[in-house]
């Protein structure tokens, strides 16, 4: 085994883990139930951006892969050291370098948990809207690296929309700042945006400048139940067509509802429900109330379809229930394979119908939920991990689903990234020259191919 004395000198011996055992969390992320695992030769936990730069410099000089790691909540194997190398865990970069409520901005280091950024904003009367489901575990650097979304991305945009500047370590180990606090900046190519969503394959993010917004005074949520998937999908088109800008428009199909009904915090799920929407509107109290009334009018226009409308007193309980979908559905058969895809909204109904057919043809139970206002579906098959044939069948369902998504003009990766699990598929979605540019950009940032190798590949390695 190679000596990592120099790495220990950079980060301190207590922050270096030599050859962690296979069971170490640093060899996994949230895909561990699907058997995605890596084998890090070392894990480092640098305590400053300068230490991150020195670690990347060491890895580049020693031709060693470097795998940036945030909270490890990724759903595509992005933080897993599949090709070995050094895992660079950002968890000690936890400082808030600046919080300026009157200027609506915050400057956290990469390892600050997402939930902490949200809370700091809230405590100062402000809003940081990106709300991916595992926000107490995920880190702001990981959110930027995956360009994470969540329910409120519908009105307020995904994480990248909130980033005005980044500090990152680029190969071969240089600390670089792009963007800043300027509210307008077209001074060069948009390198900041290239780093956003790059999943650790172009650089290691060490700090993030985020804009904030004044928090809306009020948010009102409704849960609307439908007797068919078609009626629910029609309502998802009717609501924006009526000029209502929802802050969230989430859907659950009938199967998902049945798995989650026991924990539903607002009463009883109607027994005839085959589809549900969680619809939230926000603004000043008067605006939110006016939008609520408008919503009820639109839904009344489809009264034969909306079989019940619930108005929860406790919106937080509703969103906690929503955050629990992933875990609750996983528990039904012990594991699940969930593909995060996006359909153009007008093709969502067709996409959901055909996904259910594909899963049934492969003998698997399926369900789907997601950020419906954006056509973003978490298309899920339930599997028993003790039956290996089911994982193969789930993968076959995934392949047919990706072909369907592309044929309907959608995207094979909506908000969870490409990582390891979805590598090599860009050619099915992009024109050849654009795919070639994608690869050239990777080479320009990372000529030795050491930054998170094997991840976010545009085409499969030959
Ligand atoms: C229960 C659950 C619900 C979820 N809900 C959502 C959701 O609603 N919306 C959504 O978008 N996602 C969701 N996710 C996925 C996941 O939480 C997001 O992808 C999140 O942004 C990952 O952040 P992380 O800090 O855990 O990153 P990790 O999993 O550690 O890493 C993810 C990727 O980012 C890279 N990376 C991490 N930190 C850095 C850094 N500082 N610099 C460079 N690269 C870095 C890694 O190399 C890897 O490629 C959910 C996951 C779970 C488990």
């Amino acid at each position: 085994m190679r000596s990592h004395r120099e790495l220990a000198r950079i980060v301190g011996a207590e922050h270096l883990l030599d050859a962690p055992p296979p069971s170490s969390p640093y060899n996994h992320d949230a895909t561990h139930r699907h058997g995605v695992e890596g084998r890090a030769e070392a894990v480092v936990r640098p305590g400053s951006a300068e230490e991150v730069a020195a670690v990347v410099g060491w890895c580049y000089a020693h031709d060693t892969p470097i795998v940036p790691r945030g909270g490890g909540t990724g759903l595509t194997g992005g933080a897993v050291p599949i090709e070995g190398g050094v895992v660079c865990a950002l968890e000690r970069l936890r400082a808030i370098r600046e919080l300026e409520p009157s200027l609506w901005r915050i400057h956290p280091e990469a390892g600050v948990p997402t939930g902490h950024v949200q809370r700091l904003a809230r405590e100062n009367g402000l809003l940081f809207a990106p709300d991916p489901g595992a926000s107490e575990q995920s880190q702001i650097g990981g959110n930027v690296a995956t360009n994470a979304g969540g329910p409120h991305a519908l009105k307020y945009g995904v994480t990248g929309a909130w980033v005005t500047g980044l500090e990152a370590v680029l190969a071969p180990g240089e600390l670089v700042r792009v963007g800043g606090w300027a509210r307008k900046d077209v001074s060069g190519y948009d390198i900041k945006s290239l780093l956003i969503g790059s999943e650790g394959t172009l650089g290691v993010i060490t700090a993030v400048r985020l804009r904030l917004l004044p928090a809306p005074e009020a948010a009102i949520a409704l849960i609307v139940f439908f007797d068919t998937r078609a009626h629910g999908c029609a309502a998802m088109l009717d609501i924006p067509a009526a000029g209502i800008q929802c802050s969230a428009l989430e859907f659950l199909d009938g199967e998902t509802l049945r798995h989650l009904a026991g924990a539903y915090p607002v009463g009883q799920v109607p027994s005839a429900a085959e589809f549900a929407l969680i619809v939230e509107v926000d603004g000043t109290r008067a605006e939110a109330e006016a939008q609520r009334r408008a919503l009820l009018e639109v839904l009344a226009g489809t009264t034969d379809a909306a079989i019940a409308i619930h108005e929860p007193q406790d919106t937080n309980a509703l969103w906690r229930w929503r955050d629990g979908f992933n875990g609750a559905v996983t528990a039904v058969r012990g594991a699940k394979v969930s593909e995060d895809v996006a359909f153009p909204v007008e093709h969502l109904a067709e996409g959901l119908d055909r996904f259910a057919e594909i899963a049934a043809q492969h003998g698997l139970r399926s369900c789907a939920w997601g950020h419906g206002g954006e056509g973003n579906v978490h298309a899920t098959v339930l599997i028993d991990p003790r039956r290996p044939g089911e994982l193969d069948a789930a993968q076959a369902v995934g392949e047919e689903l990706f072909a369907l998504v592309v044929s309907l003009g959608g995207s094979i990766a909506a908000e969870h990234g490409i990582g390891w699990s979805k590598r090599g598929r860009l050619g099915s979605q992009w024109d050849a020259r654009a795919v070639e540019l994608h690869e050239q950009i990777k080479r320009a940032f990372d000529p030795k191919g050491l930054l998170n190798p094997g991840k976010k590949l545009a085409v499969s390695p030959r």
Side-chain angles (χ1 to χ4, degrees):
M1 194 176 62
R2 212 149 45 129
S3 158
H4 296 116
R5 252 195 323 251
E6 287 170 57
L7 283 176
R9 257 199 296 276
I10 296 169
V11 296
E14 68 278 32
H15 299 301
L16 169 77
L17 203 58
D18 245 327
S23 59
S24 163
Y26 294 107
N27 282 321
H28 304 272
D29 69 0
T31 54
H32 63 279
R33 280 175 196 265
H34 310 156
V36 181
E37 59 184 21
R39 202 64 203 268
E41 69 171 71
V43 177
V44 290
R45 303 188 314 124
S48 68
E50 289 71 22
E51 287 183 11
V52 176
V55 167
V56 173
W58 185 91
C59 289
Y60 236 73
H62 292 83
D63 293 326
T64 301
I66 180 153
V67 182
R69 181 185 181 85
T73 68
L75 293 166
T76 60
V80 180
I82 309 261
E83 299 192 6
V86 171
V87 169
C88 180
L90 281 304
E91 63 207 41
R92 291 179 60 227
L93 267 65
R94 287 214 168 200
I96 301 292
R97 294 185 181 174
E98 184 183 333
L99 169 59
E100 269 297 345
S102 61
L103 293 172
W104 304 356
R105 68 194 200 194
I106 187 168
H107 189 185
E109 290 189 335
V112 175
T114 318
H116 189 53
V117 177
Q118 292 166 339
R119 271 189 298 278
L120 283 174
R122 219 169 22 242
E123 285 163 13
N124 287 281
L126 296 168
L127 173 73
F128 178 67
D131 53 351
S135 60
E136 292 307 324
Q137 293 83 41
S138 69
Q139 299 173 3
I140 194 67
N143 298 158
V144 173
T146 54
N147 205 1
H152 292 87
L154 174 65
K155 178 171 177 182
Y156 293 104
V158 292
T159 304
W162 295 73
V163 177
T164 68
L166 283 181
E167 180 189 82
V169 176
L170 304 184
E174 274 177 59
L175 195 55
V176 171
R177 287 162 201 92
V178 283
W181 290 130
R183 293 184 184 180
K184 284 182 161 176
D185 179 4
V186 291
S187 52
Y189 295 137
D190 196 350
I191 291 176
K192 167 174 70 73
S193 292
L194 278 176
L195 287 166
I196 294 168
S198 65
E199 302 181 47
T201 62
L202 301 184
V204 186
I205 296 160
T206 51
V208 188
R209 288 171 202 256
L210 299 170
R211 73 188 178 96
L212 303 171
L213 284 177
E217 185 187 359
I220 300 175
L222 309 178
I223 303 102
V224 191
F225 296 95
F226 297 87
D227 55 355
T228 65
R229 193 188 286 150
H231 287 144
C233 287
M236 275 195 279
L237 293 175
D238 290 343
I239 293 167
I244 301 168
Q245 190 185 17
C246 302
S247 48
L249 181 49
E250 301 279 296
F251 80 90
L252 310 68
D253 72 359
E255 273 301 305
T256 310
L257 263 178
R258 281 182 276 283
H259 301 316
L260 294 156
Y264 179 58
V266 196
Q268 290 285 327
V269 170
S271 57
E274 284 300 327
F275 203 85
L277 299 179
I278 300 174
V279 195
E280 190 191 82
V281 288
D282 69 4
T284 61
R285 169 75 44 202
E287 283 164 354
E289 290 290 355
Q291 295 212 68
R292 173 185 163 276
R293 283 192 298 277
L295 251 179
L296 291 173
E297 262 172 46
V298 172
L299 293 166
T302 54
T303 35
D304 55 340
I307 56 175
I309 298 177
H310 293 176
E311 298 201 52
Q313 294 298 313
D314 182 359
T315 321
N316 290 336
L318 180 71
W319 286 117
R320 276 198 301 278
W321 178 64
R322 168 65 186 85
D323 282 349
F325 287 6
N326 204 47
V329 171
T330 304
V332 176
R333 295 198 69 225
K336 65 171 174 55
V337 176
S338 207
E339 301 294 359
D340 162 56
V341 296
F343 295 99
V345 285
E346 70 276 23
H347 294 307
L348 181 57
E350 181 182 356
L352 291 175
D353 284 345
R354 288 179 57 190
F355 166 65
E357 284 163 18
I358 292 169
Q361 279 158 10
H362 286 272
L364 292 176
R365 284 168 65 188
S366 69
C367 63
W369 70 92
H371 314 302
E374 294 165 304
N376 184 175
V377 178
H378 301 325
T380 301
V381 290
L382 308 176
I383 58 169
D384 179 341
R386 292 163 304 183
R387 300 182 184 192
E390 292 196 1
L391 188 55
D392 293 341
Q395 273 153 5
V397 170
E399 292 305 328
E400 287 183 43
L401 171 68
F402 296 144
L404 168 68
V405 165
V406 171
S407 74
L408 291 176
S411 174
I412 57 167
E415 61 173 8
H416 296 165
I418 291 288
W420 171 260
S421 325
K422 289 184 172 177
R423 68 195 182 283
R425 289 200 169 78
L426 198 55
S428 67
Q429 199 178 308
W430 282 17
D431 292 333
R433 176 66 187 127
V435 172
E436 190 182 31
L437 271 173
H438 192 281
E439 294 188 298
Q440 287 169 349
I441 288 167
K442 167 69 176 170
R443 284 196 293 275
F445 274 83
D446 181 19
K448 287 187 169 183
L450 296 174
L451 283 162
N452 214 359
K455 314 292 173 54
K456 212 174 176 89
L457 295 181
V459 291
S460 289
R462 281 169 279 277

